[in-house]
Amino acid sequence: MDDNDELEASGHATAAREHVYGFNRATLWERDQIPAETSDELAEFADLAAALPQAFSQVSSTLERALADQVLSMDAMTDESDPAMAIGVARLHLEEARGLAVDLHKHLNAARNATAHIISQGVDDGQESMPWDQP
């Protein structure tokens, strides 16, 4: 069992965000990554995007259950006074996000497919290649 097995749902969401931020930092100055590695990363992001519609649906269901099973009210930091209305709006946005996540998966998978068969001969150091170096 790893540490992730013990996380609550919000902990998994936080960990996912932190991992994406970590990826952003790790790739900020990347200069010599070959396209095959990029393709692998795109495949991972496509898989992540493919899981998002279910996650959004489950969050929506959690809100629906909270509305049905809990006594809810709104805090003073919003003009909205009806928790049912707020949950309804949130669920509409989550439904829209589900569709966008499906589109995101399609685009990421297409990008992965486009880069999957690129072969790198290494970094071009600016020197002329010799005929025997050609494939």
Side-chain angles (χ1 to χ4, degrees):
M1 179 186 314
D2 64 24
D3 290 340
N4 286 333
D5 291 335
E6 297 176 11
L7 290 177
E8 295 288 328
S10 62
H12 284 287
T14 299
R17 176 185 44 83
E18 289 172 356
H19 284 288
V20 172
Y21 285 167
F23 175 85
N24 291 348
R25 287 188 299 277
T27 58
L28 184 62
W29 304 109
E30 190 67 49
R31 297 272 185 251
D32 58 354
Q33 179 170 303
I34 62 173
E37 293 169 329
T38 302
S39 179
D40 290 344
E41 292 164 354
L42 288 167
E44 294 295 337
F45 280 117
D47 287 349
L48 174 63
L52 289 174
Q54 179 180 348
F56 297 155
S57 180
Q58 289 174 201
V59 168
S60 181
S61 294
T62 299
L63 289 170
E64 184 177 38
R65 282 191 307 275
L67 185 60
D69 300 340
Q70 299 174 29
V71 177
L72 303 174
S73 61
M74 302 296 289
D75 65 25
M77 298 191 66
T78 181
D79 291 335
E80 182 58 62
S81 62
D82 183 8
M85 180 66 75
I87 286 175
V89 168
R91 293 187 74 219
L92 286 173
H93 286 293
L94 286 165
E95 184 60 32
E96 181 72 17
R98 286 183 74 237
L100 294 170
V102 169
D103 290 343
L104 177 62
H105 171 258
K106 289 176 187 175
H107 287 288
L108 289 170
N109 202 42
R112 187 208 61 84
N113 287 336
T115 59
H117 303 286
I118 299 171
I119 298 171
S120 174
Q121 303 298 324
V123 176
D124 183 5
D125 59 8
Q127 297 180 3
E128 236 179 87
S129 60
M130 296 306 206
W132 54 83
D133 290 336
Q134 300 296 317

